Amino acid sequence: MMEQMQSEQINELASAMAKMQGELESAAKSSENPYFKNKYADLSTVWETCRTPMSKNGLALMQQINYVGDRTVLITTLTHNSGQWMRSIAPIIATKQDAQGMGAGITYMRRYAMCAILGITQDDDDGNTASGVTVKINHDAELCEAIDSLVE
């Protein structure tokens, strides 16, 4: 069965998003990453940035952990009080294969998925980019195929 990524119509959702984004401030970089020595907006700060503008415009965000094959994924669904919705699916990447590693991966992806679907920015550019640090992303062909099969 094909997994839909949005409701048939999104006109009311898009209108509410435009209004909400006009009210959004950038998320404050209030936390510090001790490894890279940079500041970032943590999950709590991102929620505080968007909670009131979302609620005021009839928007709600839900995030669920699920599985695609043997991989853990985060499903982020943005809904509007009209019943219209859209969602994204992102892999959870844990640096350690224990509860703390998985929790960190989930928190990290929740924050990034929320910022992406709502259009939230942080105060300035990513500290890693500014400092010349690059992050290699492992392209997992099996996961990409599994996610593609959900949305075909």
Side-chain angles (χ1 to χ4, degrees):
M1 181 173 178
M2 180 175 25
E3 179 76 23
Q4 288 185 285
M5 297 303 288
Q6 67 183 39
S7 57
E8 190 173 316
Q9 300 291 320
I10 61 165
N11 58 312
E12 292 184 55
L13 171 65
S15 177
M17 281 288 294
K19 291 175 187 171
M20 187 263 319
Q21 287 176 343
E23 298 170 12
L24 276 179
E25 301 287 329
S26 292
K29 289 186 175 184
S30 56
S31 295
E32 187 170 330
N33 180 328
Y35 182 75
F36 289 114
K37 308 285 189 235
N38 66 320
K39 292 184 144 286
Y40 67 96
D42 63 17
L43 182 59
S44 177
T45 300
V46 171
W47 264 115
E48 286 307 311
T49 300
C50 66
R51 181 173 286 132
T52 299
M54 283 178 57
S55 178
K56 199 167 133 182
N57 289 286
L59 298 166
L61 187 103
M62 297 171 280
Q63 294 182 305
Q64 302 165 286
I65 307 302
N66 210 325
Y67 295 92
V68 173
D70 64 345
R71 295 293 303 264
T72 308
V73 296
L74 175 72
I75 300 172
T76 300
T77 306
L78 177 64
T79 64
H80 182 251
N81 60 14
S82 66
Q84 296 178 358
W85 56 274
M86 64 174 46
R87 77 169 44 112
S88 70
I89 302 171
I92 303 293
I93 301 167
T95 55
K96 294 191 295 183
Q97 297 304 308
D98 60 12
Q100 287 78 21
M102 182 57 80
I106 290 168
T107 299
Y108 184 87
M109 192 51 66
R110 286 185 64 205
R111 178 169 53 99
Y112 272 77
M114 180 184 296
C115 288
I117 204 165
L118 296 174
I120 297 173
T121 61
Q122 294 186 28
D123 285 336
D124 57 24
D125 290 337
D126 184 319
N128 294 341
T129 301
S131 67
V133 174
T134 59
V135 178
K136 182 180 179 202
I137 297 175
N138 182 15
H139 179 75
D140 186 325
E142 287 180 21
L143 179 61
C144 290
E145 286 175 20
I147 290 173
D148 286 345
S149 72
L150 285 174
V151 297
E152 288 179 342

